[in-house]
Amino acid sequence: MSKNTRPEPADSLPALFLGFINDQHLCGPTECILLTVSGGLDSVVMAHLCQETGIRFGIAHVNFGLRGAESDADEAFVRDLAASYKAPFYTERFDTAAVASQQGVSVQMAARQLRYDFFERIARKHNYTAIATAHHRDDALETVLLNLVRGTGLAGLTGIPIRRDDEGRIPIIRPMLCTDRASIDTYAKQRGLVWREDSSNESDKYARNKIRHQVIPVLRELNPNLSQTLTDTLERLRGANDVVNSFLLKTGTWDSLVSEQGGHPVLNRDALLRLPSPLFLLNEWLKQFDFNYEQARQIFGVMQSGTIGQTFLSLTHRAWNDRDGLIITPFTPEMHYRISLNKWPAHGLIDVAGQFRLSVRTFDKPTDYKPSPDPATGCFNADQLQFPLTIRPWQLGDRFRPLGMNGTKLVSDLLNDRKLSLPNRDRIAVLLSGGQIAWVVGQRIGHEFRVSNVADRICEIQVLECISQ
């Protein structure tokens, strides 16, 4: 970051902003960037600074539907702001609470994923070269303090990256890291800017707000030049982090530990455990997939114990401790669905969340009927299937009585026995009747639902898009 002493904000902030963008190579003079604007102070000032300095931009806004009329008023405000700058405007409204419930994640996690997926989609469709967020130096300080409280490594002490380049995605840039909240506020008031206040920013029930309102003021009393001190410190920490990563790359550590399986990275468990500081190395590798240190520590414990099949989720990825090592796959909403059936569909076809389709037919049992030996076809005593039926992805801990067995078996053990690859495990679903697993779809039916001599009607369900063995 630039170490220039900051003069009066209203006079110098546009020059400081533009100089920071040029020094950090955030965007070129002919490029067009997508600004993420909530309507709050920081993003409104970012849009004004882009207008003042001649940067080409469009404006994107997400309405999360979490604050009722207040959220709608924010959207209308940002729409008018974009119109006043004659900038392209893009918006989308989400039922964030419903998405979070459906995916089994927190509202904050769902909102973050929805937001960045939307920005990525718009930026790619309209050829923006970067996505700009309005994080500033105080946000970076709050992030460092939160990471310290929760526990972190070297990377967690580097604050918010000025630029984030993830492979295959539009870069995310943070040009407002050139300044702090006080300077932004002064600039906005001197320029007569109008913005929206988010009522949730005043509540200390959120950890970040508690640090903002109660901790940082005390730190500023101890060091009035806290913003510049933080800037210098983060610069040194980023340098140290770069040196560590450069060393790991130069020595070939990752090349010796990481291979590829089905297009997914796999970390060699045995090779990792033989190296010095394996937990440190594991955490350094996992952070690119948005896993935190506590998760890395839990994953490390599972790897040490030799437990197979345990899964860990970050905001964007899933880690799976398999026989071949630790496998990383993208985490997508499609992995979470729940379909309830109160009756069989009229045309006998069921689309399972875009993952595969099922064909269903019921009929009176012929005297010479023999169930199909093909695992892609489940043959059931129709009278044993009780509506409503449920189709959902299999979960850790799912247990059923496989056809022909006396006792029960974990679904995870069945899939281990079948030696299914991780991508194929992702697509495994279960059919539940009365809370019991009637079928591990495409694999094995439950013993209680088999076609017996006393069955009068048969239900056959076939996987049209077969899950490979």
Side-chain angles (χ1 to χ4, degrees):
M1 292 187 184
S2 172
K3 296 185 174 64
N4 296 333
T5 302
R6 178 172 43 81
E8 290 297 320
D11 296 325
S12 69
L13 193 52
L16 182 66
F17 178 79
L18 186 58
F20 183 77
I21 287 175
N22 290 332
D23 290 345
Q24 300 295 328
H25 308 291
L26 299 186
C27 74
T30 62
E31 295 179 352
C32 191
I33 62 176
L34 182 65
L35 307 184
T36 63
V37 179
S38 66
L41 170 64
D42 307 333
S43 59
V44 165
V45 169
M46 177 174 68
H48 188 270
L49 288 170
C50 285
Q51 180 77 5
E52 286 282 288
T53 56
I55 294 172
R56 299 171 59 224
F57 64 91
I59 288 179
H61 174 83
V62 177
N63 184 336
F64 292 112
L66 295 172
R67 293 178 291 116
E70 190 176 349
S71 293
D72 295 337
D74 289 346
E75 179 183 333
F77 172 82
V78 179
R79 185 186 302 273
D80 291 342
L81 180 70
S84 72
Y85 290 139
K86 296 182 173 55
F89 177 68
Y90 316 93
T91 187
E92 190 160 340
R93 186 174 305 194
F94 297 103
D95 187 347
T96 310
V99 172
S101 176
Q102 180 184 19
Q103 296 183 9
V105 298
S106 69
V107 169
Q108 291 84 356
M109 182 182 293
R112 182 183 188 276
Q113 192 64 46
L114 289 170
R115 178 168 66 244
Y116 281 105
D117 285 350
F118 169 64
F119 296 150
E120 172 76 17
R121 189 166 64 251
I122 293 299
R124 193 170 293 281
K125 180 178 179 180
H126 297 280
N127 298 315
Y128 290 99
T129 56
I131 299 166
T133 70
H135 295 96
H136 48 73
R137 289 179 181 178
D138 289 64
D139 292 320
L141 174 58
E142 292 162 10
T143 298
V144 170
L145 293 175
L146 275 172
N147 288 343
L148 278 172
V149 169
R150 294 167 178 167
T152 188
L154 183 57
L157 297 177
T158 60
I160 302 171
I162 299 169
R163 180 185 181 102
R164 178 167 178 171
D165 291 282
D166 290 336
E167 186 176 355
R169 295 181 71 89
I170 303 295
I172 296 174
I173 61 173
R174 299 180 173 95
M176 297 296 283
L177 285 174
C178 66
T179 189
D180 55 29
R181 183 176 287 115
S183 298
I184 293 170
D185 184 68
T186 301
Y187 178 85
K189 290 174 179 175
Q190 291 185 359
R191 293 299 178 98
L193 302 183
V194 179
W195 63 90
R196 297 275 300 169
E197 293 288 356
D198 185 342
S199 57
S200 65
N201 287 337
E202 300 304 315
S203 173
D204 280 354
K205 73 176 182 179
Y206 301 108
R208 183 176 288 273
N209 288 352
K210 189 171 291 187
I211 286 176
R212 180 180 302 166
H213 299 148
Q214 300 181 28
V215 177
I216 291 181
V218 176
L219 297 178
R220 291 199 187 281
E221 286 182 13
L222 297 173
N223 180 7
N225 198 32
L226 183 64
S227 178
Q228 187 60 55
T229 301
L230 171 71
T231 299
D232 296 340
T233 300
L234 292 185
E235 185 175 296
R236 293 195 294 270
L237 287 170
R238 289 190 186 106
N241 191 53
D242 288 345
V243 168
V244 170
N245 289 329
S246 176
F247 173 79
L248 292 173
L249 287 171
K250 187 176 294 186
T251 56
T253 300
W254 299 138
D255 291 339
S256 65
L257 290 178
V258 182
S259 59
E260 189 177 283
Q261 183 184 99
H264 303 298
V266 181
L267 186 69
N268 187 311
R269 176 176 50 249
D270 296 335
L272 173 72
L273 295 177
R274 287 194 296 267
L275 294 175
S277 302
L279 175 55
F280 170 80
L281 293 172
L282 177 64
N283 182 60
E284 288 298 304
W285 186 68
L286 285 174
K287 67 185 181 184
Q288 64 186 304
F289 306 112
D290 292 320
F291 288 94
N292 58 41
Y293 181 77
E294 178 57 29
Q295 289 175 306
R297 194 156 59 87
Q298 293 174 5
I299 293 170
F300 182 66
V302 169
M303 294 175 76
Q304 283 184 307
S305 70
T307 304
I308 301 299
Q310 193 155 346
T311 301
F312 298 85
L313 295 178
S314 74
L315 291 172
T316 58
H317 287 79
R318 183 183 63 165
W320 173 282
N321 192 40
D322 199 20
R323 286 187 176 88
D324 298 324
L326 187 70
I327 304 175
I328 305 294
T329 60
F331 173 72
T332 61
E334 287 76 15
M335 294 178 184
H336 294 268
Y337 56 83
R338 191 178 187 91
I339 299 172
S340 293
L341 300 172
N342 293 313
K343 61 181 180 178
W344 295 122
H347 299 291
L349 291 177
I350 304 170
D351 181 17
V352 182
Q355 300 296 295
F356 52 87
R357 302 177 76 194
L358 299 176
S359 171
V360 182
R361 70 186 188 105
T362 57
F363 50 91
D364 292 334
K365 179 187 174 186
T367 55
D368 59 347
Y369 179 79
K370 291 184 179 180
S372 170
D374 182 1
T377 300
C379 304
F380 306 92
N381 180 344
D383 297 328
Q384 290 295 102
L385 294 175
Q386 302 174 17
F387 289 102
L389 301 172
T390 299
I391 303 173
R392 63 160 173 79
W394 76 281
Q395 301 170 352
L396 290 174
D398 277 346
R399 184 181 287 275
F400 79 122
R401 181 184 174 188
L403 177 65
M405 284 187 60
N406 292 325
T408 62
K409 189 182 187 77
L410 286 169
V411 172
S412 58
D413 287 343
L414 173 69
L415 302 183
N416 286 338
D417 293 344
R418 297 287 176 95
K419 294 183 170 55
L420 290 186
S421 66
L422 182 58
N424 284 334
R425 290 178 191 234
D426 281 345
R427 304 182 60 202
I428 295 296
V430 291
L431 172 71
L432 292 94
S433 169
Q436 288 183 285
I437 294 177
W439 190 26
V440 180
V441 178
Q443 304 297 322
R444 194 84 169 264
I445 73 167
H447 187 81
E448 298 91 338
F449 302 90
R450 72 194 184 282
V451 176
S452 63
N453 293 331
V454 298
D456 293 323
R457 286 181 58 77
I458 303 297
C459 176
E460 287 188 352
I461 309 177
Q462 182 181 11
V463 182
L464 296 183
E465 184 180 336
C466 292
I467 299 170
S468 60
Q469 300 295 314

